[in-house]
Amino acid sequence: MAALLLNITDLYCERDDRVLFEDLSFTLNSGQILQLVGKNGSGKTSLLRILCGLYHAYEGSVKFLGHEIDEDRDSFHRSLTYIGHHVSVKAGLTTQENLRWYAKIHPQLDVQRIESALASVGLAGYEDVVCQNLSAGQKRRVNLARLFMLPSTAFANSLWILDEPFTAIDVQGVAELENKILEYSRAGGAVILTTHQALQISENVSQLNLDNWGT
Amino acid sequence: MAALLLNITDLYCERDDRVLFEDLSFTLNSGQILQLVGKNGSGKTSLLRILCGLYHAYEGSVKFLGHEIDEDRDSFHRSLTYIGHHVSVKAGLTTQENLRWYAKIHPQLDVQRIESALASVGLAGYEDVVCQNLSAGQKRRVNLARLFMLPSTAFANSLWILDEPFTAIDVQGVAELENKILEYSRAGGAVILTTHQALQISENVSQLNLDNWGT
Amino acid sequence: MKVFWAELSRDLLLAYRRKGDLLNPLLFFVMVLALFPLGVSPAPDFLSQLAPGVLWVAALLAALLSLDNLFKSDFEDGTLEQLLLSSESTYPIALAKALVHWLTTGLPLALLAPLLAVMLFLPSHAIPTLVVSLLIGTPTLSLIGAIASALTVGLKKGGVLISLLVIPLYIPVLIFGASAVQNATQHLPVQAYLAILGSMLALSIVLAPFAIAASLRVSVSS
Amino acid sequence: MKVFWAELSRDLLLAYRRKGDLLNPLLFFVMVLALFPLGVSPAPDFLSQLAPGVLWVAALLAALLSLDNLFKSDFEDGTLEQLLLSSESTYPIALAKALVHWLTTGLPLALLAPLLAVMLFLPSHAIPTLVVSLLIGTPTLSLIGAIASALTVGLKKGGVLISLLVIPLYIPVLIFGASAVQNATQHLPVQAYLAILGSMLALSIVLAPFAIAASLRVSVSS
Amino acid sequence: MVKKQFMPKWFYQLASPKWCYQISGTLLPYFLITALVLLTAGLVWGFAFAPQDYQQGNSFRIIYIHVPSAILAQSIYLTMAIAGGIGIIWKMKVADMVAYACAPIGASMAFIALLTGAIWGKPTWGSWWVWDARLTSMLILLFLYFGVMALYSAMEKPETAARSVAILALVGLVNIPIIKYSVDWWNTLHQPATFTLTEKPAMPVEMWLPLLVMVIGFYCFFASALMLRLRNEILNREKRAGWVKQLVSGQ
Ligand code: HEM
Ligand SMILES: Nc1ncnc2c1ncn2[C@@H]1O[C@H](COP(=O)(O)OP(=O)(O)OP(=O)(O)O)[C@@H](O)[C@H]1O
Ligand SMILES: Nc1ncnc2c1ncn2[C@@H]1O[C@H](COP(=O)(O)OP(=O)(O)OP(=O)(O)O)[C@@H](O)[C@H]1O
Ligand SMILES: [Mg+2]
Ligand SMILES: [Mg+2]
């Protein structure tokens, strides 16, 4: 029943003459939440960027629904939401304008949901505030609001790649986000995330420790 | 015995027409660890920058050892170590060069301790790596290494202001850092820090919740 | 197409938010031109001889200077990454970026040029050619410049490196543009020069966005 | 003094790490100068008349363009904040920054100028004056430029704004520098001009670092 | 990724740094010797035995350095751009390294052409430098080389630098026809082409034959220099590969 979304085989990556991982193979099914763990510098971010198609200095194969991600880039990107280390929010635009732009370049996001998404991340009333004037955590919340803009009909067989999504988020925010992730995975979405904090949810969660794969 | 280090009276700060805190008064004694808590956007970073003398749009008084911080800036800065949201590490320099520069502009830091400080933050062997090539957490560790460069003779009556120091740091790193903070406070240093994670240490720790002070 | 408009409207909105910055390339243009009478010579004959070339050189420098920020801020805040993860093609996005650059530098420059031409004693019958040559030539500058900007976006010291990469590529445009104006001052035909500028523009509209998109991918993936 | 050397050596080390970048202002200088014969006219007489002014204008632009990065990267990575939290005085730090700027732009420019002067047919007896005027004038450019750079460092679109702030302040230097060279080409005395450049330099060494330090505090605390 | 099955075997082999290192090691001495022989022969012939020019006297002899270096500067740029293009399309490491190795050689050729041209210009045109189309476009070529080298040195990782530089080199390719045809398109002081495929050269045989020898010699020299730099670069970038370690420890 659970579809095979990602199929990673024999991944090899080195940076600065240090092998980050070697012969790394794993699969990700829809509905699965994979938590990457590992020490600082163990290669979590590098792996996530490889999976997104943002980093190319690797060997091995990364298949999404049976196709190499580089070959069928557009359909892969249609199913992907990536939240990286960056805030990915334009300081000169308001929260709403930022999300509207996202919805246009990522057609899978629903423009109608901007307001409710902002409310979900606790920024109701901040629709017209320029992001420059937000605190560190609030900026990250704007970025996270994208997760709430995906209509639930698009959950199945889609993929979230989240690099330390809880950074700078307060306790209550973290709990809400974890619930959202759980809801998403229950509806058939797959999640890969890194975080140095322990997850409160455990359903569908598996772990991959990158410390064991390098040298 | 415990000296009164910081004396804050009637602090008032607003940003964007929102009052962050009003009539905020508190004191900090040597040996005390004060954890600022509060929701995203409650004004923690703003408060810390005011205390450092990096942000001036406030009313009220901030005294360090009895002097307004703006009046006797140099001697205040000699007792202060501030770690902010920024990485504060030059990407083009090696870890060692970065710390050497710090030691020169902050004479209270001890150049001899660079190697041991790097080792303490788990970066032994990375002395000559250019910081550009470090992971998010490793860069922050270089910044944190400054805390390990302060000779313990300089602990008494000095101040650490740490804005989310645990960001991007892995579990083991967080534990080590907390121990360092405890050791520092036991030797007579005072710490103000913000973090959204719960602290494992409890000795000498008090909390200030900024959610209660604004409107 | 949708991404083209999305990108265009976002960037124009950002430019509009900082209205002051819209004036900057213009003011730079004016100031560089003002340096010549001051630094070189205020004599009208001399200036009028100088005018075609200097106007074009100043336009080129103004276009050049504003290149640095074309992708930089997008790169730094991570929105560039997100652009490249869009399921839409990158070609229209690259084109939109170059267009915004032109709309905020080349176009106002071309419109302001007649005024400055008068100040530099350019014969008035050469002014239409000046404007037309700028209108056709500056979009090419924006397109080529965007390539260099995309190539250097990941590097720390973009500013001067961009100039280095771009000036050799700008020189043909400069030569034909300035020659057109020069000819116009002497009542010689200018069609050939304008046609060459036009074909350079056509070529760069077709090819440059691919190079821009490819360069962006390289810069982000390092 | 210790911080002066610390800052100087750090910045020179950073510059040395990216050796390629050291060449960039120079190459920019060469290229801008090459634009004039191409855009204006290749005739030797004409060029030799143009040369004093154009050489100075190009030096000014090269110094200007590299200003943008003077404090930007320090601001962005947070090391500027740390500098201001130093218990040492900010004056030597500001001076060191300006000095590094001069060592990496003004100085090499002045040394390269004779070669370009020859290419632009500047009479050879004027070359010593050119070099001396650049050697005295460009440090002032770096010091004044550093003020503007410090003022704009917190703003997103620094590039063109800096030019706006700085060009009016650069104009006196340009006028006296170019006039000195102009006079030299005609065998007229130049001491007066050089003396004025020298006193501008003395004044800015004394005052500019205070302005730089104050501007940095303002930029960081917003 | 590479669709290896569509490529001829030699192409596939070229893509392997190891094979490339070995084959260039075999070829290098031949090219080096040919280059030395041709260059000495051409120089002696050109400078000592070729007849004087009836107008320019002996100063024309600098042609034997000027023309080959001018031709080479352009050919090397072409090589660099093509190698860069191959590197992008087929993700071939060796092609990237070839492009990298080309840049400084080409820049020095362009510089020599400019220098000899300037030296020659003084007696014939009366000034070191004129702003003529061909001279200017040659100067632009030198700038393009500088741009390429600056971009290389500004980027940390050779892999990404290679792709960026390839894009730049391909865009800069537009300058080559401009240099080549500038003498035909504009009225200039500069000499038009001596060697064309369709016509006999206007110079006497005794003059152009040594020139031809020099040109071929320069090409061989380029090939040797390229291989030397390439081999260096291969060792440098593949220093962690098994065969390189073996090679180094074996020595
Ligand atoms: C700095 C100044 C000069 C530069 C940059 C320059 C550049 C060039 C270039 C690019 C070529 C083309 C080679 C080719 O692709 O066929 C060339 C060839 C040539 N140059 Fe120059 N040149 C300069 C000065 C001179 C001078 C002063 C003379 C003599 C009057 C001269 C005589 C020639 C001749 C005879 C050829 C051979 C034409 C051919 O076979 O194509 N050059 N030069
Ligand atoms: N640069 C700025 N300009 C104007 N307003 C700002 C600016 N930075 C923050 N603010 C406003 O000040 C308030 C407090 O911000 P601050 O950064 O101090 O919060 P914080 O408690 O540190 O939050 P976080 O936990 O997200 O880091 C926020 O509500 C924000 O809207
Ligand atoms: N830009 C870079 N250039 C070269 N090497 C890099 C670069 N970024 C990271 N590295 C190296 O790659 C290794 C893995 O980095 P990565 O960012 O993937 O780690 P991470 O697991 O995400 O760490 P963190 O928990 O600190 O975010 C690090 O050891 C670092 O030295
Ligand atoms: Mg990471
Ligand atoms: Mg904060």
Side-chain angles (χ1 to χ4, degrees):
Chain A
M1 188 223 83
L4 175 65
L5 282 191
L6 267 186
N7 191 355
I8 283 94
T9 24
D10 290 339
L11 216 56
Y12 169 87
C13 176
E14 62 166 56
R15 295 190 93 159
D16 269 340
D17 301 339
R18 214 164 63 78
V19 177
L20 295 182
F21 34 81
E22 202 168 15
D23 300 329
L24 177 66
S25 305
F26 63 91
T27 57
L28 191 73
N29 292 327
S30 65
Q32 200 182 336
I33 301 174
L34 180 66
Q35 184 187 6
L36 288 187
V37 295
K39 292 204 297 276
N40 287 135
S42 56
K44 302 179 294 298
T45 300
S46 307
L47 177 57
L48 293 188
R49 291 178 68 87
I50 288 172
L51 298 186
C52 290
L54 284 174
Y55 185 68
H56 298 281
Y58 66 93
E59 283 159 34
S61 120
V62 180
K63 287 199 175 119
F64 180 75
L65 289 174
H67 301 280
E68 283 292 335
I69 54 169
D70 269 357
E71 274 166 23
D72 194 3
R73 210 192 273 157
D74 287 356
S75 79
F76 172 52
H77 285 165
R78 211 165 301 129
S79 315
L80 171 73
T81 305
Y82 169 64
I83 294 205
H85 271 306
H86 289 293
V87 212
S88 297
V89 152
K90 270 241 109 45
L93 296 180
T94 66
T95 56
Q96 209 172 26
E97 286 161 354
N98 263 302
L99 294 180
R100 186 158 320 124
W101 174 77
Y102 265 117
K104 283 195 194 135
I105 64 161
H106 294 296
Q108 67 266 37
L109 301 181
D110 180 0
V111 200
Q112 309 296 323
R113 286 166 172 263
I114 291 182
E115 291 212 1
S116 69
L118 279 173
S120 310
V121 295
L123 290 174
Y126 283 84
E127 284 82 5
D128 294 321
V129 176
V130 174
C131 290
Q132 201 147 37
N133 298 350
L134 294 178
S135 77
Q138 289 170 327
K139 274 183 212 143
R140 289 205 62 99
R141 280 164 179 261
V142 176
N143 191 18
L144 292 171
R146 285 192 283 144
L147 301 179
F148 294 82
M149 281 169 66
L150 198 67
S152 48
T153 49
F155 282 2
N157 293 341
S158 73
L159 179 63
W160 285 356
I161 295 190
L162 315 176
D163 200 354
E164 305 196 16
F166 306 128
T167 300
I169 303 293
D170 59 25
V171 185
Q172 200 198 334
V174 171
E176 285 166 10
L177 193 56
E178 291 195 358
N179 282 335
K180 181 72 197 178
I181 290 175
L182 192 60
E183 181 199 325
Y184 174 73
S185 84
R186 282 185 182 144
V191 182
I192 307 188
L193 82 167
T194 69
T195 166
H196 294 297
Q197 294 164 257
L199 287 178
Q200 300 304 314
I201 49 174
S202 59
E203 194 186 319
N204 306 340
V205 176
S206 54
Q207 286 202 338
L208 175 69
N209 192 331
L210 277 190
D211 291 339
N212 311 332
W213 292 90
T215 46
Chain B
M1 188 222 82
L4 174 66
L5 282 190
L6 266 185
N7 190 354
I8 284 96
T9 26
D10 290 339
L11 215 57
Y12 168 87
C13 175
E14 62 166 55
R15 295 190 92 157
D16 269 341
D17 300 337
R18 216 165 61 80
V19 177
L20 295 182
F21 35 80
E22 203 169 11
D23 300 329
L24 178 65
S25 304
F26 63 91
T27 57
L28 191 73
N29 292 326
S30 64
Q32 200 182 336
I33 301 174
L34 179 67
Q35 183 187 7
L36 288 186
V37 295
K39 292 205 297 275
N40 287 136
S42 54
K44 302 179 293 298
T45 299
S46 308
L47 178 57
L48 294 188
R49 290 178 67 87
I50 289 173
L51 298 186
C52 291
L54 284 174
Y55 185 66
H56 298 283
Y58 66 92
E59 285 159 31
S61 118
V62 181
K63 287 197 174 119
F64 180 75
L65 289 174
H67 301 281
E68 283 292 335
I69 53 168
D70 269 358
E71 274 164 21
D72 194 6
R73 208 193 274 156
D74 287 356
S75 77
F76 173 51
H77 284 166
R78 210 164 303 128
S79 315
L80 171 73
T81 305
Y82 168 64
I83 294 206
H85 271 306
H86 289 293
V87 212
S88 297
V89 153
K90 271 242 109 44
L93 296 180
T94 65
T95 56
Q96 208 171 26
E97 286 160 355
N98 264 300
L99 295 180
R100 185 157 320 123
W101 175 77
Y102 265 116
K104 284 196 193 135
I105 65 159
H106 295 297
Q108 67 267 36
L109 300 182
D110 180 1
V111 201
Q112 309 296 324
R113 287 166 170 264
I114 292 183
E115 291 212 1
S116 69
L118 279 174
S120 308
V121 295
L123 289 175
Y126 283 83
E127 285 82 5
D128 294 320
V129 176
V130 175
C131 289
Q132 202 149 40
N133 297 351
L134 295 179
S135 77
Q138 289 170 326
K139 275 183 210 140
R140 291 204 61 99
R141 280 164 179 260
V142 177
N143 192 18
L144 292 170
R146 285 191 284 143
L147 301 179
F148 293 82
M149 279 169 68
L150 199 66
S152 46
T153 49
F155 283 0
N157 294 340
S158 74
L159 178 64
W160 284 356
I161 296 190
L162 315 176
D163 200 354
E164 305 196 18
F166 306 128
T167 300
I169 303 294
D170 58 25
V171 185
Q172 200 198 334
V174 171
E176 285 165 9
L177 191 56
E178 291 194 358
N179 282 336
K180 181 74 196 176
I181 290 175
L182 193 60
E183 180 199 327
Y184 174 71
S185 84
R186 282 184 182 149
V191 182
I192 308 189
L193 82 167
T194 68
T195 165
H196 294 296
Q197 293 163 258
L199 288 178
Q200 300 304 313
I201 48 173
S202 58
E203 195 185 318
N204 305 340
V205 176
S206 55
Q207 284 202 340
L208 174 70
N209 192 330
L210 277 189
D211 291 340
N212 311 332
W213 292 89
T215 48
Chain C
M1 274 326 276
K2 202 168 138 205
V3 274
F4 178 79
W5 290 116
E7 194 51 37
L8 192 69
S9 58
R10 182 190 77 147
D11 285 359
L12 285 177
L13 183 63
L14 275 170
Y16 173 79
R17 279 281 150 75
R18 336 185 108 253
K19 281 184 273 305
D21 285 357
L22 280 177
L23 280 178
N24 289 346
L26 274 184
L27 285 170
F28 177 79
F29 185 56
V30 175
M31 286 192 177
V32 169
L33 289 175
L35 290 181
F36 282 90
L38 294 173
V40 182
S41 148
D45 317 353
F46 191 71
L47 281 178
S48 83
Q49 257 184 296
L50 210 62
V54 165
L55 279 163
W56 254 96
V57 170
L60 188 152
L61 289 176
L64 189 88
L65 280 194
S66 41
L67 280 180
D68 205 14
N69 290 302
L70 196 50
F71 296 108
K72 198 108 198 163
S73 89
D74 285 1
F75 178 77
E76 279 166 1
D77 61 22
T79 51
L80 189 57
E81 230 168 57
Q82 295 293 341
L83 265 181
L84 296 181
L85 289 181
S86 164
S87 51
E88 310 282 314
S89 135
T90 338
Y91 182 98
I93 296 175
L95 197 60
K97 282 278 180 189
L99 183 58
V100 170
H101 182 258
W102 182 70
L103 288 176
T104 53
T105 58
L107 181 62
L109 241 73
L111 300 180
L112 190 73
L115 185 65
L116 291 156
V118 171
M119 287 174 62
L120 289 178
F121 307 101
L122 185 79
S124 59
H125 56 84
I127 289 183
T129 311
L130 174 70
V131 175
V132 172
S133 72
L134 284 174
L135 282 178
I136 313 178
T138 48
T140 314
L141 299 184
S142 295
L143 283 159
I144 297 177
I147 302 176
S149 184
L151 280 174
T152 55
V153 70
L155 312 173
K156 273 280 138 71
K157 284 208 180 171
V160 197
L161 183 59
I162 280 194
S163 322
L164 189 60
L165 300 185
V166 136
I167 290 186
L169 301 173
Y170 275 8
I171 285 178
V173 183
L174 171 74
I175 291 181
F176 292 112
S179 308
V181 185
Q182 199 92 57
N183 271 17
T185 60
Q186 295 156 22
H187 298 283
L188 296 174
V190 299
Q191 282 82 343
Y193 290 120
L194 296 182
I196 296 179
L197 285 178
S199 50
M200 286 191 204
L201 176 57
L203 200 69
S204 37
I205 288 186
V206 176
L207 296 182
F210 288 110
I212 298 171
S215 314
L216 285 179
R217 275 189 202 286
V218 177
S219 290
V220 165
S221 82
S222 63
Chain D
M1 276 326 278
K2 202 168 139 205
V3 273
F4 178 80
W5 291 116
E7 193 53 36
L8 192 69
S9 59
R10 184 190 75 148
D11 286 0
L12 285 178
L13 182 63
L14 276 171
Y16 173 78
R17 279 282 148 73
R18 338 185 105 252
K19 282 184 268 315
D21 286 357
L22 283 177
L23 279 179
N24 290 345
L26 273 184
L27 285 170
F28 176 79
F29 183 57
V30 176
M31 286 190 181
V32 169
L33 287 176
L35 291 181
F36 284 92
L38 296 174
V40 183
S41 148
D45 317 352
F46 190 73
L47 281 177
S48 81
Q49 258 182 294
L50 209 62
V54 163
L55 279 162
W56 254 95
V57 169
L60 190 153
L61 289 176
L64 189 88
L65 280 195
S66 41
L67 280 180
D68 206 14
N69 290 304
L70 196 51
F71 297 109
K72 196 110 200 161
S73 90
D74 285 0
F75 177 76
E76 279 166 1
D77 60 23
T79 51
L80 189 57
E81 234 168 53
Q82 295 293 338
L83 263 183
L84 296 180
L85 290 180
S86 165
S87 51
E88 309 282 315
S89 136
T90 340
Y91 182 96
I93 296 175
L95 195 62
K97 281 279 181 187
L99 181 58
V100 169
H101 182 258
W102 182 69
L103 287 177
T104 52
T105 58
L107 180 63
L109 239 74
L111 300 180
L112 190 73
L115 182 66
L116 291 156
V118 171
M119 285 180 76
L120 290 179
F121 308 102
L122 185 78
S124 57
H125 55 84
I127 289 183
T129 311
L130 173 70
V131 174
V132 173
S133 71
L134 284 173
L135 281 178
I136 314 179
T138 47
T140 315
L141 300 184
S142 295
L143 283 160
I144 299 178
I147 304 177
S149 184
L151 276 175
T152 54
V153 69
L155 313 172
K156 271 279 139 69
K157 282 208 182 171
V160 196
L161 184 60
I162 280 195
S163 321
L164 280 185
L165 294 180
V166 138
I167 288 186
L169 300 171
Y170 276 8
I171 284 179
V173 183
L174 171 74
I175 291 180
F176 292 111
S179 308
V181 184
Q182 199 91 55
N183 271 15
T185 61
Q186 294 154 25
H187 297 284
L188 297 174
V190 298
Q191 282 81 347
Y193 291 119
L194 295 183
I196 297 179
L197 285 179
S199 50
M200 286 191 204
L201 175 57
L203 201 70
S204 39
I205 288 186
V206 176
L207 296 182
F210 289 110
I212 297 170
S215 313
L216 286 179
R217 277 192 200 285
V218 175
S219 290
V220 165
S221 82
S222 62
Chain E
M1 287 302 293
V2 191
K3 300 239 175 9
K4 282 164 185 161
Q5 59 272 32
F6 297 137
M7 296 294 153
K9 181 158 173 280
W10 60 267
F11 193 87
Y12 171 56
Q13 278 181 329
L14 260 182
S16 140
K18 184 181 175 190
W19 188 81
C20 220
Y21 185 83
Q22 286 162 346
I23 192 83
S24 63
T26 333
L27 289 179
L28 185 57
Y30 298 103
F31 275 95
L32 210 55
I33 290 167
T34 325
L36 280 178
V37 169
L38 288 180
L39 288 181
T40 344
L43 275 180
V44 173
W45 190 354
F47 277 74
F49 297 104
Q52 274 199 4
D53 188 87
Y54 66 97
Q55 272 182 331
Q56 303 182 19
N58 276 325
S59 70
F60 97 98
R61 293 186 197 277
I62 203 166
I63 197 177
Y64 296 115
I65 300 182
H66 174 70
V67 174
S69 56
I71 293 177
L72 258 286
Q74 299 166 66
S75 305
I76 296 176
Y77 192 89
L78 209 63
T79 316
M80 182 174 77
I82 292 173
I86 293 176
I88 286 193
I89 297 170
W90 287 290
K91 304 218 163 102
M92 213 164 106
K93 276 195 210 166
V94 173
D96 290 345
M97 294 186 222
V98 168
Y100 174 78
C102 279
I105 309 179
S108 39
M109 287 297 166
F111 184 73
I112 293 174
L114 282 168
L115 194 72
T116 51
I119 293 171
W120 198 359
K122 190 67 184 169
T124 41
W125 304 332
S127 73
W128 299 103
W129 181 259
V130 289
W131 289 95
D132 142 292
R134 172 165 270 187
L135 273 59
T136 307
S137 50
M138 195 67 191
L139 191 65
I140 298 177
L141 184 67
L142 184 68
F143 287 164
L144 282 172
Y145 276 121
F146 282 159
V148 162
M149 284 155 67
L151 193 58
Y152 264 123
S153 73
M155 300 189 78
E156 300 274 317
K157 279 184 227 88
E159 298 85 25
T160 43
R163 290 214 268 162
S164 297
V165 167
I167 294 170
L168 181 68
L170 286 171
V171 173
L173 215 49
V174 291
N175 192 41
I176 294 296
I178 296 183
I179 303 180
K180 193 78 203 161
Y181 298 109
S182 53
V183 267
D184 304 331
W185 291 348
W186 288 283
N187 286 329
T188 64
L189 283 173
H190 197 279
Q191 200 90 8
T194 314
F195 300 114
T196 53
L197 290 177
T198 48
E199 282 169 50
K200 244 186 87 197
M203 275 190 238
V205 182
E206 311 85 81
M207 273 192 190
W208 67 256
L209 215 54
L211 185 59
L212 191 62
V213 170
M214 283 302 283
V215 170
I216 298 172
F218 261 72
Y219 269 108
C220 290
F221 169 76
F222 163 59
S224 335
L226 180 64
M227 281 188 236
L228 274 173
R229 283 183 55 84
L230 181 64
R231 285 162 62 79
N232 235 329
E233 191 57 23
I234 290 178
L235 289 189
N236 202 1
R237 284 201 208 169
E238 300 283 300
K239 56 177 172 280
R240 292 178 2 91
W243 65 272
V244 176
K245 281 185 180 150
Q246 234 173 17
L247 196 85
V248 173
S249 63
Q251 277 171 358

